[in-house]
Amino acid sequence: MIRAARAVTPEGEVPAVVTVRAGRIVTVEPYVTDAPPGRGMSARTHSRSAFPRRGFAEVVDLGPDVVLLPGLVDTHVHVNEPGHSDWEGFASATLAAAAGGITTLVDMPVDSVPATVDVAALTAKRTAAAGRCHVDVGFWAGATPGNTAELAALHHAGVLGFKCFLADAGAPDLPPLSPDQLTSAMRTLRDFDGLLLVHAESDAELAVSPPAHGRRYADFLASRPGRVEDTAVAAVVDAARQTGARAHIVHLSSATALPLIAAARRDGIRITAETCPHYLALTAEEIPDGATEYACCPPIRDAANRDLLWSALRDGILDLVVSDHSPCAAALKHLDTGDFGAAWGGVSSLQLALPVVWTEARGRGIPLAEVTRWMSERPARLAGLTAKGRIAPGHDADLCAFAPDEQWTVHPDDLHHRQPVTPYAGRRLHGVVRRTWLRGRDIDPLRPAGRLLTPTADRLEDTP
């Protein structure tokens, strides 16, 4: 039993008593505290509840400075194993996730060897993950020009959806789809209501943009202007309109693409979109030349663009926030030369996602309950993980005790990521994860207890 003076439930932030049995939430009941607000009294001493302490293996009383959250769900994580486990791996990534209050992540098909483009590769991925995960893990597969015939088999093997590129991402095993191939893949996915996640950057627009090179961040940003994303998003909207399939835009950076998404939704097109902590917290104006730890594709844009992304989240045009944790070997960032054209494009932020987003949100007057919806409930819904993302009866007891007002400074040596390179080094943040539970049990760094997930119509099943 967990007694929380503050808990984020589907009704918002409320006092609640949460009871757990066999890894699932059984009840969520009101919790009344006698302590006057702002007196700093502990909930243990000044509380009353309809629930006695007897009959529970453990009773946890959370103080008034801590909020009980549903465990976060991060549906955009590049674990890189097998093949590049020196960049990141299931053990390190899931431990970092747990430290950041994330209890479920979904692994991207790219940046591992082999890429997850057929059932054999999915089996290799699951073998690499088995017994090494500290949180629950699901898998996306890739959609490529040559694997359309594999998509149904991958779906039946338990992947949660499919990721594709519309421009060359430097991943030979996951080449981009042409506009016709995009439409063809979506027609195939429509037959079993599969989800297509799209890295929406246009190959044609990149071809006529200046190449990225050198130390100046302004030059890197000019190499991927907003129209690169906007053109690709328009192509996805068109394909979704033609086919009726579900599409999701990953890591949206360009605010000028937002009206396209809003108009498509008004027309009944099944399209959703996400953005990431680095687009919500960082701005082009603050990035020093040569600081390749900030390099990512699409790029971090200016402050006005950032503010429009926040407005789109509040207005429901953007659906969710996920990390796009994309680490690499430190040498691939080319920190020595600071050449943005040569540097690996990806921000490492899995453990930091919640405090980074919360720090920015609280400064804009956005409540923690709204942030939790963006980072837990809606990612779970996107991936079809029906037992995740909410503090509600019948859901997995994946929970996080979060101290939203506590401040701390990011030191790379404190991160569990295998590669500690991060643009957030030295940044002062609000919010500390005090404790994380997976199916009602504390996550033990010495005993991985995460499961590999596959959706069914009504619930989650464990895979072998």
Side-chain angles (χ1 to χ4, degrees):
M1 179 172 69
I2 302 175
R3 308 197 307 181
R6 302 171 66 187
V8 172
T9 74
E11 285 70 46
E13 186 178 310
V14 296
V17 176
V18 179
T19 60
V20 176
R21 182 185 301 119
R24 291 289 179 103
I25 296 170
V26 179
T27 60
V28 181
E29 296 290 342
Y31 171 51
V32 180
T33 178
D34 294 330
R39 296 286 292 276
M41 300 181 180
S42 73
R44 178 184 298 278
T45 303
H46 299 275
S47 63
R48 65 180 183 269
S49 166
F51 292 92
R53 291 173 176 270
R54 293 191 301 274
F56 292 94
E58 182 181 10
V59 176
V60 177
D61 288 291
L62 299 180
D65 62 329
V66 175
V67 184
L68 185 66
L69 306 180
L72 302 189
V73 178
D74 192 336
T75 54
H76 197 144
V77 180
H78 295 261
V79 176
N80 303 330
E81 192 176 16
H84 291 299
S85 55
D86 57 324
W87 299 8
E88 192 69 278
F90 285 102
S92 56
T94 57
L95 192 59
I102 298 164
T103 51
T104 301
L105 63 82
V106 186
D107 174 62
M108 281 292 172
V110 71
D111 302 330
S112 58
V113 181
T116 314
V117 295
D118 55 34
V119 173
L122 175 63
T123 300
K125 178 78 77 170
R126 284 179 167 156
T127 298
R132 306 186 68 233
C133 297
H134 297 279
V135 302
D136 287 353
V137 175
F139 301 96
W140 303 120
T144 73
N147 82 331
T148 303
E150 299 281 346
L151 300 183
L154 282 161
H155 170 74
H156 292 302
V159 301
L160 305 178
F162 301 86
K163 163 77 174 292
C164 74
F165 292 91
L166 300 186
D168 184 5
D173 290 344
L174 217 68
L177 301 180
S178 69
D180 287 344
Q181 290 164 341
L182 172 67
T183 302
S184 176
M186 292 182 75
R187 285 198 181 100
T188 298
L189 296 181
R190 179 193 57 198
D191 292 342
F192 50 84
D193 201 30
L195 173 68
L196 186 66
L197 296 88
V198 185
H199 180 131
E201 290 189 291
S202 164
D203 214 20
E205 290 294 342
L206 284 171
V208 297
S209 299
H213 64 86
R215 294 175 51 85
R216 293 183 70 241
Y217 185 74
D219 291 340
F220 178 68
L221 185 57
S223 75
R224 302 182 106 88
R227 69 172 186 273
V228 171
E229 289 187 78
D230 303 346
T231 300
V233 169
V236 176
V237 168
D238 185 57
R241 190 189 306 274
Q242 290 183 52
T243 63
R246 293 188 294 147
H248 177 73
I249 306 297
V250 299
H251 52 46
L252 185 78
S253 155
S254 172
T256 49
L258 294 168
L260 299 171
I261 296 169
R265 293 240 183 101
R266 289 194 296 270
D267 290 344
I269 295 171
R270 297 199 295 168
I271 189 168
T272 52
E274 71 190 32
T275 194
C276 304
H278 40 282
Y279 302 132
L280 296 171
L282 307 176
T283 65
E285 293 92 334
E286 72 185 85
I287 299 176
D289 290 343
T292 53
E293 61 269 29
Y294 291 84
C296 57
C297 300
I300 295 161
R301 305 189 189 278
D302 61 29
N305 184 89
R306 178 188 61 178
D307 292 343
L308 290 170
L309 295 178
W310 277 105
S311 295
L313 278 168
R314 301 192 77 169
D315 294 342
I317 300 170
L318 289 172
D319 300 272
L320 51 111
V321 181
V322 288
S323 70
D324 187 15
H325 177 69
S326 185
C328 65
L332 295 178
K333 275 293 188 182
H334 292 277
L335 297 170
D336 53 346
T337 65
D339 185 346
F340 280 97
W344 176 268
V347 172
S348 184
S349 63
L350 184 61
Q351 186 172 333
L352 301 172
L354 175 58
V356 166
V357 175
W358 168 237
T359 299
E360 295 295 319
R362 75 193 300 276
R364 290 170 168 78
I366 298 171
L368 185 55
E370 189 69 13
V371 172
T372 304
R373 276 190 285 274
W374 297 333
M375 301 186 75
S376 187
E377 181 178 339
R378 291 180 184 170
R381 186 188 306 165
L382 176 80
L385 301 176
T386 58
K388 304 292 188 183
R390 304 171 82 209
I391 298 179
H395 281 62
D396 287 349
D398 299 344
L399 303 164
C400 164
F402 185 63
D405 298 323
E406 188 172 340
Q407 295 187 59
W408 60 290
T409 300
V410 177
H411 296 292
D413 290 346
D414 295 335
L415 303 178
H416 294 284
H417 307 154
R418 184 152 296 167
Q419 297 289 340
V421 176
T422 173
Y424 299 109
R427 200 172 187 93
R428 191 79 173 157
L429 299 177
H430 281 84
V432 172
V433 173
R434 295 268 184 87
R435 190 171 179 181
T436 310
W437 295 267
L438 183 67
R439 288 183 301 280
R441 295 185 181 273
D442 283 287
I443 291 178
D444 184 344
L446 300 179
R447 293 181 175 84
R451 299 177 181 176
L452 309 185
L453 303 174
T454 179
T456 64
D458 303 313
R459 59 191 177 90
L460 292 176
E461 289 184 338
D462 301 335
T463 63

